[in-house]
Amino acid sequence: MNLYETLSFAQDVDLGVRKNAELYLNELDKKNPDKFFFELIEVFGDESAASEIRGLAGLILKNKIVSFNQNEKNRNKKEKPSSIGNFFEKETKELLVKIFESFSKIARRTASQIFAKITSIEILEGEDKHIFKNLCVLLSKKKSLHLHCSVLETIDFICQESQNPLFVKNLTGFSEEILEIIVNSLKISGEQNLEIKFAALNTLNTFIPFMVDIINKKDARSFIFKLILDQLSKKEKKIRAITFEILGKIAQDYYTFLDHYISVIFDFTILTLKGDDELVTLQAIELWSTIADTEFELTTNSIQAINEGRVPLEYSRNFILQSNSLLHPFLLGFIKDHNTGYENDEWNCCAAAGTCLNLMSQAAPSEIISNTIRFIEKNLLMTSSSKSKEGASLAFVAVLDGIGSKMLYSHAIKMLPLWQYYLEDIDPSIQSIITWTIGKICHNTPYILRVTLDRIIQAIIINLVNQRTFYKTCWAFNEILQVYGKEGLADWCTEGVFFSLFNFIWFQEPENSMIDEIFEVFCSAVLNSSVRNKNRIVVFIPVLLLKLLESTKIRNCNQIRKIQSHICRVLGCIVQRLGKKINPNLIEQLIKALILIVSSIRDETINWTLEEEILVCLGTIIQKSQKKLFGNLGELTPFLLKCLENENNYQTCSLAIGVIGDICRTADSEIELFVEQVAGIIFSILKNNNTISSIKPLILVCLGDLSLTERFLSREFYETVVKIFKETAAFLEDFENSDDIEIREWNLQIKESVLEGMVSIIQSNQNKIQKNESAGEKLKWVCKFLFKTLSNNRTSRMSEGCTGLVGDLSLNFHFFRKTLTKCPWVRQLLFESKNSSINKIKTLGAWAYELVIN
């Protein structure tokens, strides 16, 4: 199998074929990395190869170059560099420049990424000071469209490459040369060169943060602004759109220099808002959102500086206030005439206008909010059209968040009766927006609705039962329950809403999406219920159990399985909310119902959503109920084992591990055989290299939980698990200095799991350990592990785990207590922990300090 075929198989739809191809590529790399590198170069430069194959070859090349550079940093300078390093210096760029002119877009883009990666490394290390001059000369000699766009894209990638301060400083030194390439590209005329202009503007957009030195020069600044503003007069829509985006970046980074150009920007904005393509209009509105946000921040900083007795370094030029008379009516017009997609949070001109209006109301609150209120009062009248009422409601919500919530209170109270009337109206065109408005008010400023809450809830329930604007009504009711539920202000309607909606589900067979929304309301009603509402919530259990049992008689029905999963979720919420207050007989019946569901789906295609909800419900029951109720759990053993064995499904496997851990902490002798089977599966998962890495931390914690059962108090199990933790700790040392954020986070999770598992093992075996001091010989590696963990990760979660383990080791082993007492790092850890601002760590630290130091 040659390299072309292997790269093709690595992108096959079949998972097995892909994995085999990836393994073969790794073998080639390990066997002869230099040869593999050259072969990749050959494939990447082959114009006759498929674009996908060339693209993958280029991607592997890019990763190898990054890896090579990382290895070179750690290489002894006396060692001879590899041939890859020589190739890196001499030939790669020449090949990439040739590929810049390729007909394959994928190959050109990948070549730009590789060139950018190499150049970024050289810029960071202060090498190749003529790179951009050479590119400028190259573009002046060759007039190739693909070459021009590829060079510009390369510069774009370079500017995105790193936020390292040294890299930013070094790249800023090339700002004039880079700007020369961009400017020359913008000066190219001709319709066929539109793509070059767009690429140049796109690169300029990314390059703006590196233009500090140029912008600070008056003549250069004038030239750049003139060049940018000239693009707003072009007829091409995408050119004008990217130009407004560039001006937004400039407004954010160089606001101080806008004074001389803001009038021209404003004129072009008004022309655009009067009638242009939506994409251009959207960018124009976002520009003014940026200006408003910048001015609000400057005003806030100025006020803070004055209060602290300092002179503000910058001040707002009040561009928003000056533009209010013309810009504000346009924004309100967009909100009124283009109010579509608000219910889906779709980003369009209406949403952009609302965001801009909100930011403007914070930059110039008195003027903007006053004008907005006049617009709302004029358009919210009963005689107004539906579109006007919708626009008024949207405008109100737009300025409500932030400063507006304080200034609009009295006006909102006056407008509330109108909203209530429209909410009770049967006109569907206005009901949706009014329901959405009520939900938004409840979310942002709930105190406004408190006066007439009962009437609003009544209208929402009627609309819910009659299925008027169903989804928006469910969302608004959810907001009300979350805000007012625990105060008991919605208790009076809980029972009626439950039975009305439950009958609707069972007898009218609604759509699946409607079922989802209804059960969201149920869960919200339960979790946000008040203490006084306990009796009403308990009434739900028999009804839900009855329907759950009835549903087990129906086979292979997707909608029934969906309802079963939702009922399990609601029952889990009820158990979570009420806990041991629920009658034990109901808990027993609930466990039996779960067993019946598991039995009914045993022979069906796996429905992971239902199984996940069963696991969540079961875990809640075990955590919240009495231990004596768990006699029937043995019947769920096959189900739990099946979920645990599915280690490649993270959600299901992790939930099963959590339930098993809960069972172990409350285990009776009846389930010892079950726990032994679990141990066998866990050991096989740990040995499997193909298991999802995120499952491993949970598995390690589960090992500690298993040690809590009587079945595993044996010395053999103790030594096996300790050996696993020791090998894991040694394995982690290879990933300590990784630059990958995900790997570092995974490293921390594994360390936490080792710490937590070791604590469980020591605590569960403490009686035997105290009688057998030689058991401590197996744990001598722990001190080194604790020291390295704290040296590399001084986070609160690491401190907590290390403090607990130090305390348990000292409590159970005289050897460890004697050793740890002498360690300065242990004293420092315990001193920091007992003085921590986090109560849990503080308590743990005080206990360990007393035990170890005193």
Side-chain angles (χ1 to χ4, degrees):
M1 185 166 59
N2 61 36
L3 188 56
Y4 288 84
E5 291 175 339
T6 308
L7 292 169
S8 178
F9 290 147
Q11 302 174 74
D12 197 274
V13 293
D14 186 277
L15 178 62
V17 174
R18 288 203 310 273
K19 283 194 172 182
N20 289 334
E22 288 167 7
L23 290 172
Y24 185 64
L25 288 171
N26 288 332
E27 286 178 15
L28 290 175
D29 191 13
K30 289 179 182 177
K31 188 176 180 181
N32 192 335
D34 293 352
K35 180 182 176 183
F36 184 55
F37 186 85
F38 286 115
E39 288 179 349
L40 285 172
I41 286 283
E42 183 181 346
V43 174
F44 187 47
D46 188 354
E47 285 294 322
S48 63
S51 294
E52 294 77 12
I53 292 176
R54 296 180 70 188
L56 181 57
L59 183 62
I60 297 172
L61 274 173
K62 176 189 170 187
N63 293 336
K64 282 188 69 63
I65 288 170
V66 175
S67 176
F68 169 77
N69 181 66
Q70 187 64 41
N71 292 337
E72 281 298 299
K73 291 179 181 178
N74 304 322
R75 188 189 295 271
N76 190 325
K77 292 184 179 180
K78 295 181 181 179
E79 293 183 23
K80 183 181 177 181
S82 69
S83 59
I84 297 178
N86 295 328
F87 198 83
F88 182 96
E89 295 293 335
K90 296 177 182 178
E91 301 177 23
T92 307
K93 291 181 184 177
E94 295 176 8
L95 175 70
L96 294 174
V97 169
K98 289 181 182 178
I99 298 174
F100 282 171
E101 299 184 73
S102 170
F103 290 104
S104 170
K105 185 176 181 180
I106 294 175
R108 294 198 306 271
R109 184 173 180 83
T110 308
S112 294
Q113 290 174 330
I114 297 172
F115 199 109
K117 176 61 69 175
I118 295 172
T119 305
S120 299
I121 293 169
E122 292 174 341
I123 289 172
L124 186 61
E125 295 176 356
E127 301 175 1
D128 199 350
K129 299 184 182 299
H130 304 290
I131 176 63
F132 294 107
K133 283 185 179 179
N134 294 338
L135 287 175
C136 192
V137 171
L138 177 66
L139 292 178
S140 65
K141 290 179 179 179
K142 291 190 177 184
K143 303 300 180 183
S144 167
L145 170 66
H146 291 331
L147 175 65
H148 226 115
C149 291
S150 295
V151 169
L152 289 166
E153 191 172 29
T154 300
I155 297 172
D156 190 0
F157 285 133
I158 291 170
C159 294
Q160 298 176 39
E161 190 62 40
S162 173
Q163 295 303 316
N164 184 307
L166 178 60
F167 173 81
V168 173
K169 179 184 176 182
N170 290 350
L171 183 60
T172 303
F174 295 104
S175 58
E176 292 185 2
E177 297 166 18
I178 295 174
L179 188 62
E180 183 181 354
I181 295 174
I182 296 171
V183 170
N184 291 339
S185 301
L186 288 173
K187 288 179 178 179
I188 295 175
S189 60
E191 290 290 330
Q192 69 275 18
N193 293 317
L194 175 62
E195 194 173 338
I196 295 178
K197 285 190 175 184
F198 183 72
L201 288 170
N202 206 39
T203 304
L204 178 61
N205 190 31
T206 314
F207 180 61
I208 284 169
F210 302 93
M211 294 170 56
V212 179
D213 295 340
I214 298 173
I215 291 290
N216 284 329
K217 299 174 183 176
K218 185 177 179 181
D219 293 339
R221 180 170 67 247
S222 299
F223 173 76
I224 291 169
F225 269 98
K226 183 179 182 304
L227 185 69
I228 293 171
L229 292 174
D230 281 346
Q231 307 308 313
L232 291 176
S233 61
K234 306 296 182 186
K235 64 179 182 179
E236 294 83 8
K237 294 174 183 177
K238 67 177 186 178
I239 294 292
R240 296 203 304 277
I242 189 67
T243 303
F244 273 118
E245 189 176 344
I246 291 170
L247 288 170
K249 282 272 190 76
I250 290 174
Q252 186 175 15
D253 294 343
Y254 309 109
Y255 172 85
T256 309
F257 301 112
L258 287 179
D259 287 50
H260 297 96
Y261 315 100
I262 195 67
S263 59
V264 180
I265 294 172
F266 181 76
D267 289 342
F268 275 115
T269 302
I270 296 301
L271 285 173
T272 302
L273 296 181
K274 281 182 177 179
D276 209 324
D277 181 75
E278 183 175 359
L279 177 63
V280 184
T281 303
L282 195 62
Q283 293 297 336
I285 294 172
E286 288 182 6
L287 162 62
W288 285 91
S289 294
T290 303
I291 293 173
D293 192 31
T294 304
E295 291 193 351
F296 175 67
E297 185 179 352
L298 288 173
T299 302
T300 304
N301 292 340
S302 297
I303 293 171
Q304 183 179 354
I306 291 169
N307 289 337
E308 294 174 358
R310 296 184 287 107
V311 177
L313 297 177
E314 290 184 273
Y315 61 90
S316 171
R317 267 64 172 178
N318 294 321
F319 298 141
I320 294 299
L321 188 60
Q322 296 170 35
S323 66
N324 174 40
S325 59
L326 288 176
L327 186 59
H328 184 261
F330 272 106
L331 294 176
L332 292 174
F334 271 103
I335 291 173
K336 179 181 175 181
D337 299 329
H338 301 85
N339 52 13
T340 57
Y342 66 88
E343 64 274 9
N344 302 320
D345 292 330
E346 179 184 333
W347 188 249
N348 53 26
C349 287
C350 176
T355 301
C356 186
L357 189 63
N358 175 268
L359 293 169
M360 287 174 66
S361 71
Q362 299 186 60
S366 300
E367 294 76 8
I368 301 295
I369 291 179
S370 299
N371 292 340
T372 304
I373 288 170
R374 283 195 289 271
F375 171 82
I376 295 170
E377 290 176 344
K378 178 183 176 182
N379 288 275
L380 200 61
L381 299 174
M382 290 186 182
T383 55
S384 302
S385 65
S386 296
K387 205 164 192 64
S388 297
K389 293 171 185 175
E390 290 177 358
S393 299
L394 286 169
F396 178 84
V397 172
V399 296
L400 181 63
D401 192 19
I403 295 176
S405 60
K406 299 177 181 178
M407 301 181 67
L408 289 173
Y409 179 74
S410 59
H411 299 282
I413 293 297
K414 288 191 294 183
M415 290 183 275
L416 196 55
L418 280 173
W419 278 318
Q420 289 173 350
Y421 176 79
Y422 296 143
L423 191 63
E424 296 164 354
D425 195 0
I426 59 173
D427 182 6
S429 63
I430 190 66
Q431 239 175 26
S432 176
I433 188 72
I434 297 301
T435 304
W436 180 80
T437 303
I438 293 293
K440 284 290 186 180
I441 293 172
C442 186
H443 181 79
N444 291 316
T445 52
Y447 50 84
I448 292 176
L449 302 180
R450 192 178 289 270
V451 180
T452 57
L453 183 63
D454 287 353
R455 184 178 167 186
I456 290 171
I457 291 176
Q458 185 178 5
I460 285 177
I461 292 172
I462 292 170
N463 291 340
L464 202 58
V465 173
N466 294 327
Q467 302 173 50
R468 296 176 194 156
T469 60
F470 185 82
Y471 298 102
K472 276 288 162 280
T473 304
C474 284
W475 172 77
F477 193 42
N478 247 326
E479 293 291 333
I480 288 172
L481 289 171
Q482 289 178 29
V483 173
Y484 301 108
K486 291 185 178 179
E487 295 183 41
L489 298 180
D491 286 358
W492 62 272
C493 67
T494 305
E495 194 172 344
V497 169
F498 175 80
F499 285 108
S500 298
L501 294 179
F502 201 80
N503 288 334
F504 169 64
I505 292 173
W506 214 254
F507 297 112
Q508 296 190 33
E509 298 184 358
E511 300 172 1
N512 284 341
S513 56
M514 296 178 78
I515 293 173
D516 295 341
E517 293 295 331
I518 289 171
F519 276 103
E520 281 295 327
V521 171
F522 288 166
C523 291
S524 184
V526 170
L527 294 175
N528 296 295
S529 61
S530 68
V531 177
R532 299 186 297 275
N533 210 24
K534 171 191 168 184
N535 293 334
R536 293 189 180 94
I537 299 297
V538 171
V539 171
F540 299 170
I541 299 179
V543 179
L544 291 169
L545 283 176
L546 178 63
K547 293 302 179 185
L548 199 57
L549 292 171
E550 287 179 4
S551 69
T552 58
K553 300 173 184 177
I554 304 173
R555 300 278 179 176
N556 292 319
C557 178
N558 289 333
Q559 190 175 49
I560 290 298
R561 296 293 172 253
K562 178 179 276 289
I563 291 174
Q564 285 176 339
S565 65
H566 281 307
I567 290 177
C568 288
R569 185 154 63 100
V570 175
L571 286 168
C573 290
I574 293 173
V575 175
Q576 181 181 341
R577 186 77 181 92
L578 301 179
K580 294 181 181 179
K581 296 177 183 178
I582 301 175
N583 190 300
N585 292 327
L586 289 177
I587 295 295
E588 286 185 5
Q589 293 301 316
L590 175 53
I591 294 175
K592 289 179 181 178
L594 293 178
I595 293 171
L596 279 174
I597 292 178
V598 169
S599 300
S600 70
I601 63 173
R602 187 170 296 162
D603 301 325
E604 295 181 12
T605 304
I606 295 174
N607 186 328
W608 294 120
T609 303
L610 174 57
E611 298 197 352
E612 287 168 13
E613 293 299 346
I614 292 172
L615 289 169
V616 172
C617 184
L618 187 59
T620 307
I621 292 169
I622 294 169
Q623 291 174 18
K624 296 289 184 178
S625 303
Q626 301 172 18
K627 180 179 176 181
K628 64 182 181 181
L629 301 175
F630 303 152
N632 294 324
L633 287 180
E635 297 181 44
L636 290 169
T637 300
F639 169 71
L640 288 171
L641 293 177
K642 182 182 74 172
C643 294
L644 182 62
E645 288 172 337
N646 186 37
E647 70 267 20
N648 289 322
N649 185 320
Y650 174 79
Q651 192 67 20
T652 304
C653 186
S654 62
L655 287 170
I657 291 170
V659 172
I660 289 166
D662 293 333
I663 291 174
C664 291
R665 284 186 282 272
T666 58
D668 293 317
S669 57
E670 302 170 6
I671 60 169
E672 284 187 7
L673 182 60
F674 154 73
V675 177
E676 193 166 318
Q677 290 174 293
V678 170
I681 295 172
I682 282 179
F683 287 138
S684 66
I685 291 175
L686 284 173
K687 293 175 184 177
N688 185 0
N689 293 327
N690 295 324
T691 301
I692 298 174
S693 59
S694 52
I695 289 290
K696 297 289 178 74
L698 302 175
I699 292 292
L700 292 172
V701 173
C702 195
L703 281 175
D705 291 333
L706 287 174
S707 67
L708 297 171
T709 61
E710 294 183 7
R711 188 84 174 182
F712 290 111
L713 286 176
S714 66
R715 180 173 179 176
E716 181 183 353
F717 179 77
Y718 169 81
E719 291 180 354
T720 302
V721 175
V722 168
K723 183 181 178 182
I724 290 172
F725 285 143
K726 181 180 179 180
E727 291 174 353
T728 303
F731 173 74
L732 291 175
E733 293 181 10
D734 296 335
F735 301 94
E736 217 45 83
N737 299 317
S738 173
D739 293 330
D740 192 316
I741 296 176
E742 291 184 3
I743 291 178
R744 289 207 301 268
E745 179 59 30
W746 180 79
N747 197 327
L748 287 175
Q749 290 174 1
I750 292 286
K751 286 179 179 178
E752 282 183 281
S753 301
V754 171
L755 292 169
E756 189 175 339
M758 287 303 304
V759 167
S760 297
I761 289 172
I762 292 170
Q763 289 179 350
S764 61
N765 288 270
Q766 59 185 353
N767 293 329
K768 290 190 176 184
I769 289 172
Q770 287 170 349
K771 295 175 184 177
N772 183 15
E773 185 71 22
S774 63
E777 294 294 320
K778 306 288 184 182
L779 300 178
K780 285 188 176 181
W781 60 271
V782 176
C783 287
K784 181 181 177 183
F785 172 68
L786 286 170
F787 176 73
K788 286 192 173 182
T789 298
L790 289 168
S791 300
N792 294 316
N793 313 103
R794 203 72 170 192
T795 58
S796 59
R797 62 188 196 180
M798 287 295 109
S799 297
E800 180 184 340
C802 291
T803 302
L805 187 53
V806 165
D808 281 317
L809 287 170
S810 301
L811 178 66
N812 292 286
F813 298 101
H814 176 71
F815 162 77
F816 277 106
R817 184 175 183 182
K818 185 178 179 181
T819 303
L820 293 172
T821 303
K822 298 176 182 178
C823 296
W825 62 269
V826 173
R827 290 176 172 272
Q828 182 181 352
L829 168 68
L830 299 183
F831 179 79
E832 290 175 0
S833 296
K834 79 185 188 80
N835 292 290
S836 172
S837 58
I838 303 172
N839 289 332
K840 187 176 180 181
I841 298 178
K842 186 176 182 179
T843 304
L844 199 62
W847 165 75
Y849 189 88
E850 184 68 25
L851 190 65
V852 178
I853 307 301
N854 296 335

